[in-house]
Amino acid sequence: MKKNKKNYIQYVASLLILYIIGGHTPLHAFTRIYGQVVDSITLERIPYVSVYLQNTTYGCPTDKDGHFSFVMPDNQGTLVVSSVGYNEKRIPIYPDTSYPLQVNLSATTYELNEVEVKAGNELYRRKGNPAVELVQSIIKRRSAYRLDSHEYYSRNRHDLTILALSNFKESEIEAELQNKNGLLYQYIDTSLISGEPILNVSSRELLGSDHYSKTHQTLKKHIVARRRTGVDDFIPEEEIDGVLEEVFKDVDLFQNDIDIFRNRFVSPLSALGTTIYKYYIMDTILVEGTPCVDLAFVPFNSESHGFTGHLYITTDSTHFIKWAQLRTPHNINLNFVRTLDITQTFTPALDGTPLLDRESMIAEIEIAEQLNGIYAKREVNYSNYQLDTPTRPDLLARPESIIEEEDARHKDQLFWITNRIGHVNPKELSVGDMMEELRKDPLYYWTERIASFLASDHIPNRKIEPKFFYGPLSTSISNNNLEGLRLRAGGMTSAHLNPHLMGRFFVAYGFKDERLKYMGELEYSFSPKKEHANEFPIHSLRLHYENDTYQYGQEYLYTSKDNLLLNFKRMDDNLIGYLRKTELSYNREHHNHFSYALTLRNKVYESSHLMPFETRIDGQPHFISELSQTELELSLRYAPGEKFLQKKWNRTSLLPERPVFALSHSITIKDVLGSQFTCHHTEASARKRFWLSSFGYIDGIAKAGRVWNDVPYPLLIIPSANPSYTIQKESFALMNPMEFIADTYASWEATYYMNGLILNRLPLIKRLGWREVIDFKGFYGNLRPNNIPDTNNSNGIYLFPTQTFTTQSLQSTINSQQPNLNNIVVNGLQPKATAPPYMELSIGIENIFKILEIDYVRRLTYCDTPGISKHGIRLRLHIQF
């Protein structure tokens, strides 16, 4: 299975920390500052208090129990402890200071509008609750708070994303932080969540602006400067940036849902907010001299996808939100994320619209207690808001949604110093210097290289701007009944060799059929590419030739057919022949995500001893070695708002909630360019993800197609069967390959990912973090009588293969003038008057050990067919947040 880049960063981080702890780069001496902050009168613990060393960047906020802990590179200074609603306190730190510290804060005196402290199992009420009435008044007016309520807006932005190693063990700190001669001493930083030491290993920075037009319903992101450095800077930038931009999205507090970590959380200002959250008025405080209500909120169910936090809301009639904090509950069913903290600060525009000044998102990610974790921080500062008057109409006229200046990746240090917005911790910018030192060590250098091979499934010919990649590694060895043991080697060139002309190839050999297979492809891109040929938008001319095996009734859309994991199958696969394919295609993608392709394709199906092509003439068998067809195909695709995760050999859509529509038609004319049959083939499909807020989401796919002529079965529609034990989307788990054949069909698949909707509410079981999955799919088809071969005189139509499997056609009606071929054709069983669709239902649990999904699959129709499985267990390695 190919790991996503999140897994890769964690893998490299673990290896790097093992290298550090192993003694190759010892750290400098530090002093650990820790203690607890309490109310001086009530002695209640005070959460989220700011604790830091004066005139330094060392410090942290207290946790929910008032505890703080961080390290500093000295043993003396002044500790500053401050919190809204309390008087600031300064504590001198000396070499002989004893720990833990207990810091007592005295409350400032303000008039309290409402203070309600409840203990234990309080009886929460919505009716008559002033906190609920306050939030309902904001929800009613939240559309006016949104920036996109204006005809136009623009703003400058500065993004900084930091990834760091965290979760050092106490024994590691005691042993390693005492060495005063270490190389990495100057790079050690402090977590703003836990106060523990962290080591920054990746830094990304962006300067640009946002431009929105309500008339055109478009948002343009203008990138002026971009830089990155760290352990992952040898991964293609579009690939890793695509992951991080989806994991750490901009947060819009005034939407119903907040999309972070590839999950949807319910906003405290959602229209469903009062049914998901409890609200409390905690205090009335001064924020920058303005009286504000401290509105706290917690979800009714802490395992659901909601937040705990505070909103500081002005006490006047505007109910303006000056500050917001959102944190994930301790028991939330969210993988690997130990803590997620989001803070936002706002200032009002002249018309009262909240203008976001600063957004900070900090996450502590932990794979396992035995491994070091990842500390991730994204901070965005905004300035220079312009409302209702376009400042850059030229950018709005551009077709692309992300507009990057040509020299954006080549800005010098002076430019960054001059144009940054807000304060930046110098240690967060020193990652490049640290990595330069680390990579001088051969052990670290090769550790990093090996990790990159495992993550990308390819091996580059060199580290910087590689011109050639060997791979994919996962297809190097496989096995099937026709070839036996199969070995494969291949590779691809990159844009660093030629930005317009790129190629791919592979060579494979089967030891059983003793036959060489191969593929070669050349693609000319009319626009220069940065890394790989499939970067959006594609505008290219592609020539492709392939001579390989062909598995009838098996189409793997999300992996290679010779992937190592597909070798383990529930049944023998004897429906394998050969296919020689030559294609010349013109491909064009537009920035509005409409694309089309025009392809001239010659396909030569070659029979094998497993898949002979047999016809009957006057009752006598006649075998044909090859079937040749040359077709012209036009494909159309429209995916509004689509965004891709760019990889070397393919790309994945990052926004499945956006609909994708596809339509294609191919034409083959008999005796033209060697074609043996006339064939018109039409296909249409649509797919979309439907979010149900905190109740999960449904992935839906619908397809339909028709072959309009009388042709042999290799040219008909054969639904995709999955004979392996793995879960494969758009493939039927309990259908045998070539069990059904059709010339007209409709199929569907609906998968409901419930996000623990039921299991999160069951005592004890909810601690496991399991999540429910339900999948329902089906195939309904028809086969015209002329496409069913007669065993006496087939008129050129090939007989259906009968070895091992039962071939069926699905029809809704029977032509009484035709033989009884509606149901099971080959075995000659009695048909039914109407044939139901083939259907499967699976019920499963995902997130087992955070990596595994197990489904129980049940066949709902055609359960009496010989040689089939009525039910089964299927597995998938599925790593997600």
Side-chain angles (χ1 to χ4, degrees):
M1 184 192 73
K2 295 188 168 28
K3 297 181 177 71
N4 59 37
K5 291 302 168 276
K6 170 180 163 291
N7 304 126
Y8 159 73
I9 293 172
Q10 292 162 342
Y11 182 81
V12 172
S14 298
L15 291 175
L16 177 58
I17 196 60
L18 287 175
Y19 168 68
I20 295 171
I21 300 304
H24 295 279
T25 5
L27 305 177
H28 196 275
F30 275 73
T31 299
R32 183 169 178 242
I33 308 296
Y34 62 99
Q36 189 178 43
V37 181
V38 299
D39 188 286
S40 61
I41 297 177
T42 66
L43 298 183
E44 291 183 354
R45 305 168 219 179
I46 308 176
Y48 315 132
V49 176
S50 174
V51 183
Y52 64 95
L53 195 65
Q54 186 175 354
N55 299 324
T56 75
T57 60
Y58 297 98
C60 69
T62 60
D63 63 16
K64 60 185 178 63
D65 296 318
H67 292 107
F68 64 91
S69 174
F70 65 94
V71 292
M72 65 180 191
D74 208 338
N75 54 14
Q76 62 184 22
T78 300
L79 193 69
V80 181
V81 184
S82 64
S83 178
V84 177
Y86 288 89
N87 295 312
E88 184 179 272
K89 191 164 189 176
R90 296 172 182 263
I91 303 171
I93 300 296
Y94 301 106
D96 59 351
T97 299
S98 60
Y99 302 96
L101 298 172
Q102 177 160 316
V103 183
N104 300 318
L105 292 186
S106 59
T108 53
T109 56
Y110 300 116
E111 180 183 354
L112 303 182
N113 287 347
E114 170 127 2
V115 178
E116 189 171 4
V117 179
K118 303 198 174 189
N121 298 320
E122 96 277 15
L123 180 62
Y124 178 80
R125 58 186 173 88
R126 295 190 185 97
K127 189 175 182 180
N129 185 339
V132 173
E133 294 172 358
L134 174 60
V135 78
Q136 285 178 334
S137 69
I138 296 175
I139 291 173
K140 289 179 181 179
R141 294 186 293 174
R142 63 180 181 154
S143 60
Y145 291 146
R146 294 173 56 89
L147 270 176
D148 56 15
S149 64
H150 291 264
E151 288 298 322
Y152 173 87
Y153 75 80
S154 66
R155 61 186 179 183
N156 295 340
R157 65 186 297 152
H158 172 233
D159 296 35
L160 178 64
T161 302
I162 298 294
L163 300 178
L165 301 185
S166 65
N167 196 26
F168 292 82
K169 298 179 179 62
E170 287 293 332
S171 59
E172 297 169 349
I173 296 173
E174 293 296 329
E176 296 297 330
L177 298 187
Q178 300 304 316
N179 192 309
K180 300 182 179 181
N181 301 314
L183 167 66
L184 300 182
Y185 144 69
Q186 59 185 315
Y187 303 112
I188 293 294
D189 206 345
T190 304
S191 166
L192 296 177
I193 295 289
S194 65
E196 298 292 341
I198 60 174
L199 180 65
N200 300 321
V201 295
S202 176
S203 172
R204 277 177 173 70
E205 198 170 8
L206 180 147
L207 273 169
S209 56
D210 300 331
H211 301 264
Y212 171 79
S213 170
K214 188 175 183 179
T215 303
H216 300 92
Q217 287 294 302
T218 183
L219 175 64
K220 306 293 185 180
K221 189 173 182 179
H222 181 213
I223 299 175
V224 178
R226 186 202 291 268
R227 70 169 192 88
R228 67 163 182 164
T229 186
V231 297
D232 51 354
D233 59 7
F234 50 82
I235 303 172
E237 187 158 358
E238 289 77 11
E239 189 169 346
I240 189 66
D241 283 346
V243 174
L244 292 176
E245 287 174 10
E246 284 304 302
V247 169
F248 298 115
K249 282 189 172 181
D250 293 345
V251 172
D252 188 345
L253 189 65
F254 303 102
Q255 286 187 332
N256 284 324
D257 297 316
I258 295 174
D259 192 355
I260 314 172
F261 283 100
R262 307 302 303 275
N263 284 275
R264 288 208 170 179
F265 297 78
V266 180
S267 168
L269 300 180
S270 166
L272 299 175
T274 56
T275 64
I276 303 296
Y277 290 99
K278 300 177 183 179
Y279 299 91
Y280 303 95
I281 292 178
M282 304 300 294
D283 205 343
T284 301
I285 57 180
L286 284 178
V287 179
E288 297 178 342
T290 303
C292 292
V293 169
D294 178 3
L295 180 72
F297 51 89
V298 295
F300 282 96
N301 182 359
S302 61
E303 286 84 7
S304 63
H305 282 58
F307 297 102
T308 64
H310 299 262
L311 300 175
Y312 288 177
I313 305 168
T314 60
T315 57
D316 58 23
S317 60
T318 64
H319 295 327
F320 183 83
I321 299 175
K322 290 187 68 67
W323 181 84
Q325 181 189 53
L326 299 86
R327 275 200 172 192
T328 50
H330 178 68
N331 296 325
I332 190 172
N333 189 350
L334 186 65
N335 287 338
F336 311 120
V337 181
R338 188 171 60 183
T339 306
L340 172 63
D341 182 277
I342 303 169
T343 58
Q344 294 184 325
T345 59
F346 299 89
T347 56
L350 293 177
D351 63 355
T353 302
L355 304 179
L356 182 60
D357 289 327
R358 178 179 175 271
E359 177 181 282
S360 174
M361 187 183 304
I362 303 174
E364 289 188 328
I365 300 169
E366 181 180 83
I367 302 299
E369 292 183 2
Q370 300 80 9
L371 299 177
N372 295 94
I374 298 295
Y375 172 90
K377 174 188 172 186
R378 177 178 182 257
E379 187 170 300
V380 187
N381 287 278
Y382 299 94
S383 68
N384 195 26
Y385 278 86
Q386 299 290 329
L387 303 180
D388 296 321
T389 303
T391 57
R392 292 293 304 272
D394 58 314
L395 296 178
L396 292 173
R398 298 275 291 269
E400 60 267 44
S401 57
I402 298 178
I403 304 165
E404 184 171 329
E405 298 293 335
E406 291 185 4
D407 63 343
R409 301 166 195 253
H410 305 287
K411 300 293 186 181
D412 58 23
Q413 190 64 23
L414 179 61
F415 176 88
W416 286 102
I417 294 174
T418 305
N419 292 278
R420 283 191 183 104
I421 304 172
H423 172 72
V424 177
N425 180 355
K427 291 188 177 181
E428 296 174 343
L429 302 177
S430 61
V431 175
D433 297 333
M434 183 189 72
M435 297 309 303
E436 185 177 349
E437 295 293 332
L438 279 175
R439 286 168 178 158
K440 293 177 182 177
D441 187 285
L443 176 60
Y444 176 81
Y445 175 83
W446 286 108
T447 297
E448 188 180 70
R449 295 277 284 176
I450 293 171
S452 72
F453 302 158
L454 296 175
S456 67
D457 207 25
H458 287 75
I459 300 176
N461 72 312
R462 63 185 186 186
K463 180 181 175 182
I464 305 299
E465 297 185 348
K467 298 181 178 181
F468 176 80
F469 291 88
Y470 174 85
L473 302 178
S474 59
T475 62
S476 299
I477 182 169
S478 58
N479 183 79
N480 61 68
N481 285 1
L482 180 62
E483 297 177 280
L485 177 65
R486 171 185 168 109
L487 300 181
R488 170 174 151 169
M492 58 189 293
T493 67
S494 77
H496 298 300
L497 180 63
N498 189 307
H500 291 278
L501 185 63
M502 282 151 280
R504 295 192 306 148
F505 78 94
F506 75 74
V507 177
Y509 184 77
F511 286 85
K512 187 175 181 179
D513 65 352
E514 299 181 344
R515 178 164 169 169
L516 192 69
K517 294 87 180 175
Y518 43 89
M519 182 276 292
E521 178 180 284
L522 281 176
E523 183 167 3
Y524 179 80
S525 174
F526 292 94
S527 57
K529 297 295 183 179
K530 298 175 182 177
E531 295 280 350
H532 304 291
N534 59 359
E535 294 168 3
F536 180 85
I538 294 174
H539 183 201
S540 69
L541 192 64
R542 182 186 305 153
L543 178 63
H544 176 99
Y545 179 78
E546 184 173 355
N547 186 339
D548 200 359
T549 58
Y550 181 71
Q551 298 175 329
Y552 289 84
Q554 298 179 59
E555 294 290 339
Y556 296 108
L557 303 178
Y558 301 99
T559 186
S560 301
K561 65 181 179 182
D562 47 3
N563 188 291
L564 181 62
L565 293 178
L566 298 181
N567 288 340
F568 306 99
K569 299 187 176 183
R570 58 184 172 87
M571 60 191 306
D572 287 336
D573 184 7
N574 294 320
L575 300 175
I576 308 177
Y578 298 100
L579 175 65
R580 301 194 304 274
K581 181 170 63 176
T582 306
E583 290 182 344
L584 178 64
S585 60
Y586 173 75
N587 303 273
R588 182 68 188 268
E589 292 178 333
H590 295 273
H591 288 286
N592 63 359
H593 296 280
F594 173 74
S595 61
Y596 55 89
L598 185 63
T599 304
L600 180 64
R601 179 186 301 117
N602 174 259
K603 295 192 292 187
V604 179
Y605 297 89
E606 183 180 343
S607 64
S608 69
H609 70 278
L610 295 177
M611 287 292 292
F613 296 160
E614 179 184 356
T615 63
R616 293 293 172 89
I617 301 177
D618 298 327
Q620 299 300 313
H622 181 68
F623 293 92
I624 298 173
S625 61
E626 294 182 348
L627 168 62
S628 177
Q629 292 285 96
T630 300
E631 63 187 16
L632 182 66
E633 180 182 74
L634 175 64
S635 301
L636 307 176
R637 187 176 185 273
Y638 182 52
E642 187 174 36
K643 187 176 181 180
F644 295 107
L645 168 59
Q646 187 67 50
K647 299 181 181 180
K648 294 178 178 63
W649 64 287
N650 67 357
R651 60 188 186 185
T652 305
S653 179
L654 280 174
L655 299 174
E657 62 269 21
R658 302 295 178 88
V660 178
F661 305 99
L663 176 66
S664 67
H665 184 78
S666 63
I667 301 173
T668 305
I669 301 176
K670 185 178 180 179
D671 297 329
V672 174
L673 298 177
S675 298
Q676 296 174 227
F677 293 88
T678 295
C679 180
H680 291 251
H681 186 172
T682 305
E683 292 277 348
S685 67
R687 66 186 67 228
K688 189 183 186 310
R689 173 170 294 178
F690 300 90
W691 281 95
L692 306 176
S693 192
S694 63
F695 305 111
Y697 57 90
I698 298 174
D699 282 343
I701 303 172
K703 295 182 177 181
R706 180 177 176 88
V707 175
W708 302 86
N709 306 92
D710 303 335
V711 293
Y713 71 81
L715 306 181
L716 292 173
I717 297 163
I718 306 173
S720 179
N722 174 25
S724 76
Y725 289 101
T726 63
I727 298 171
Q728 299 289 334
K729 289 296 179 186
E730 302 185 52
S731 186
F732 294 96
L734 296 176
M735 181 187 291
N736 290 344
M738 286 197 71
E739 183 179 345
F740 297 97
I741 298 176
D743 51 36
T744 304
Y745 86 98
S747 69
W748 70 88
E749 180 172 3
T751 309
Y752 181 19
Y753 296 89
M754 300 175 67
N755 277 351
L757 179 62
I758 299 173
L759 298 179
N760 281 346
R761 289 162 172 78
L762 300 180
L764 300 180
I765 292 179
K766 66 182 182 180
R767 297 183 180 181
L768 298 173
W770 291 353
R771 304 168 187 170
E772 317 86 339
V773 182
I774 299 176
D775 183 83
F776 177 55
K777 64 182 69 171
F779 180 93
Y780 190 82
N782 179 69
L783 188 63
R784 296 189 305 275
N786 287 348
N787 280 325
I788 301 174
D790 190 314
T791 55
N792 292 317
N793 191 344
S794 63
N795 297 321
I797 302 298
Y798 303 167
L799 298 183
F800 294 146
T802 59
Q803 67 277 23
T804 307
F805 303 107
T806 300
T807 304
Q808 303 184 48
S809 61
L810 290 84
Q811 279 182 226
S812 58
T813 59
I814 297 178
N815 187 331
S816 60
Q817 305 301 318
Q818 297 297 328
N820 287 338
L821 297 171
N822 173 64
N823 191 19
I824 299 178
V825 176
V826 181
N827 288 10
L829 301 183
Q830 293 298 316
K832 301 176 183 178
T834 59
Y838 174 87
M839 293 184 290
E840 289 180 356
L841 177 67
S842 70
I843 300 175
I845 297 176
E846 64 172 350
N847 207 40
I848 301 173
F849 307 118
K850 299 183 180 180
I851 62 170
L852 183 64
E853 178 183 341
I854 301 179
D855 287 4
Y856 169 76
V857 190
R858 176 71 186 186
R859 184 168 171 144
L860 301 180
T861 54
Y862 299 94
C863 296
D864 297 329
T865 304
I868 58 93
S869 299
K870 296 181 182 180
H871 51 80
I873 300 294
R874 298 294 179 265
L875 308 173
R876 177 170 65 146
L877 292 177
H878 183 40
I879 301 175
Q880 60 179 349
F881 286 107

